[in-house]
Amino acid sequence: MNLMKTAFTASRLYTPVEEIQNPLLVVEDGLISDVSSRSTKEVPGNTSLIDFGDAALAPGFLDIHMHGGAGLDVMRASLSELPRLGKFLITHGVTGYFPTTVAAPLDATYTALGRLADAIEAAAGNDSMQARPLGIHLEGPFLSHKRRGVHPPEYLVTPSIEIFERLWQAARGHVRMLTIAPEIPGAMEVIAEAARRKVCVSIGHSDAEMPIAQDAVKTGARHATHTFNAMRALDHRDPGIIAEVLTDDRISADIIVDGIHVSPPIVKLFLQMKGHERAVLITDAISATGMPDGRYQLGPIEVDVKDGKCTSNGSLAGSVLTMDRAVRNVTQFSNWSLQDAVRAATLNAALAAGLGEQGRLASGAEASFTVLSPAGDVIKTIVRGLGF
């Protein structure tokens, strides 16, 4: 069998743990066969070379919390429509994502999970140029009424193993992440069971006091959802869930860096507290992402979008943030380099969500990467060696 072999070079490459100057990235049949520097290796024979000049090569971004884009809502889109979302995402450097649910009638949620499972299974064997759904993130229905955000109160559900099992079966085992409020009766049992099934349990939409959040981590939670948003506020005498999220090195945490959900100085604080290994970028993007201002759907919720702000009844309702913009914002809001910001959108997300094979550029890894200008703009995205 003749395997396609292509080499890529640029000014630098982010693995993302290391930076390699004048890199040589060799791709064969959709996989990376070698990562080195041109100062130490020649371009292999019978290999075409693509040079991206002063750009940087970086792993494809992973968005583990997003609800849609390009006019499509992941709970409502058909199997044939989702590739449009995938094509939109690669223009912003994203090569893999977790379609994320919101609280909705359980029957509608089960139906949506079945469609998303179809999409995940179809994408696994598809070599078209699009970002692929890699697993499902259940944002609810096990959320706090007090910190529900825009999730409709009538669709919130008391946590139980039985309901979790129904959601799991509807998704055919493709649930990779669960956001849950640990203080609700029944939550700890669900946290333990989900963790046993290797689901990334993320605490969020929660009014938990610090001891409850600590118990959740001991029970199996290992991540936190959109830190600061839909959480009990941090207080110097009542530290609450946020203090646990920021100070516990056993858990990673994600944040929406659009400059709207969290102010830039607090983003900088978050990055200092969670560090280069445990900070994760998400978009929480809704169907309006990449679209003009107007009214859009977020599951069963109607959302008004104006000047980059998404609201429903006065509350923030997701975002129109793209992952490349989040990466650039991190470099502007903090002292983090482009390499640091890329790590938070790639390897850190992969490790948090149990996607250990994703999020890095290394020999044997999938050849899904993005090409960034020195300012962090997406020049090109390659998916499984395709796209050039």
Side-chain angles (χ1 to χ4, degrees):
M1 183 172 68
N2 281 323
L3 301 182
M4 293 193 308
K5 186 186 282 193
T6 309
F8 299 86
T9 189
S11 173
R12 58 187 52 82
L13 177 148
Y14 305 134
T15 63
V17 177
E18 297 177 78
E19 177 181 324
I20 299 174
Q21 298 285 333
N22 301 311
L24 192 64
L25 179 72
V26 183
V27 173
E28 291 185 63
D29 202 32
L31 296 176
I32 297 170
S33 60
D34 190 43
V35 179
S36 57
S37 171
R38 295 184 76 179
S39 63
T40 60
K41 279 203 178 175
E42 297 287 325
V43 178
N46 299 320
T47 303
S48 58
L49 179 67
I50 297 173
D51 189 346
F52 286 107
D54 68 348
L57 307 180
F61 299 148
L62 300 171
D63 194 349
I64 59 174
H65 186 145
M66 61 87 66
H67 302 282
L72 295 172
D73 178 83
V74 298
M75 288 189 77
R76 301 160 68 92
S78 68
L79 184 62
S80 62
E81 288 175 318
L82 280 172
R84 192 169 95 223
L85 175 61
K87 289 181 171 70
F88 167 75
L89 290 173
I90 60 168
T91 67
H92 295 283
V94 174
T95 55
Y97 68 98
F98 281 179
T100 304
T101 62
V102 294
L106 282 175
D107 284 346
T109 301
Y110 299 145
T111 301
L113 292 176
R115 280 199 305 270
L116 292 173
D118 290 341
I120 291 165
E121 290 164 9
N126 188 334
D127 278 338
S128 64
M129 268 298 294
Q130 55 179 291
R132 285 178 295 142
L134 300 173
I136 295 166
H137 180 170
L138 293 174
E139 189 182 15
F142 309 134
L143 310 178
S144 155
H145 276 267
K146 188 169 182 182
R147 303 290 177 183
R148 63 184 174 82
V150 296
H151 291 257
E154 63 270 27
Y155 302 141
L156 300 183
V157 176
T158 301
S160 72
I161 301 292
E162 180 190 9
I163 297 292
F164 177 71
E165 176 65 23
R166 286 187 198 165
L167 293 164
W168 179 268
Q169 291 298 335
R172 300 201 293 279
H174 288 294
V175 175
R176 298 295 291 263
M177 198 161 182
L178 169 69
T179 293
I180 188 168
E183 73 276 15
I184 307 172
M188 292 298 178
E189 290 83 357
V190 171
I191 290 171
E193 179 59 24
R196 190 182 70 77
R197 298 187 194 197
K198 304 290 192 292
V199 173
C200 172
V201 178
S202 186
I203 50 176
H205 281 278
S206 167
D207 197 45
E209 296 177 347
M210 191 171 183
I212 297 290
Q214 291 173 322
D215 286 347
V217 175
K218 287 176 191 162
T219 304
R222 65 172 193 260
H223 192 70
T225 295
H226 46 51
T227 307
F228 295 104
N229 296 117
M231 284 183 178
R232 172 188 284 258
L234 179 68
D235 181 87
H236 60 297
R237 292 196 188 95
D238 176 18
I241 181 175
I242 289 175
E244 167 61 12
V245 170
L246 294 181
T247 62
D248 193 332
D249 288 342
R250 293 173 296 175
I251 62 171
S252 50
D254 60 51
I255 192 168
I256 308 166
V257 187
D258 60 356
I260 296 169
H261 279 77
V262 182
S263 72
I266 300 299
V267 170
K268 188 175 181 181
L269 171 69
F270 169 88
L271 296 172
Q272 288 175 345
M273 294 298 292
K274 294 316 290 180
H276 295 134
E277 296 180 3
R278 297 176 188 86
V280 175
L281 301 183
I282 58 165
T283 64
D284 203 3
I286 71 165
S287 57
T289 308
M291 304 293 285
D293 285 356
R295 180 163 284 187
Y296 294 87
Q297 289 294 137
L298 172 58
I301 309 155
E302 286 197 335
V303 178
D304 291 306
V305 179
K306 187 174 182 186
D307 299 329
K309 193 171 185 179
C310 308
T311 57
S312 179
N313 296 320
S315 294
L316 284 174
S319 84
V320 289
L321 181 65
T322 56
M323 192 57 84
D324 56 329
R325 168 61 67 188
V327 165
R328 292 193 296 273
N329 284 348
V330 162
T331 66
Q332 291 162 19
F333 294 174
S334 71
N335 60 356
W336 279 28
S337 66
L338 181 60
Q339 180 187 348
D340 297 332
V342 162
R343 180 170 177 168
T346 57
L347 180 61
N348 292 1
L351 293 176
L355 298 170
E357 71 284 2
Q358 302 272 337
R360 67 187 84 207
L361 298 181
S363 182
E366 184 180 279
S368 294
F369 59 96
T370 190
V371 184
L372 302 175
S373 75
D377 294 299
V378 174
I379 296 168
K380 190 83 175 169
T381 302
I382 310 293
V383 180
R384 290 200 263 195
L386 301 173
F388 50 89

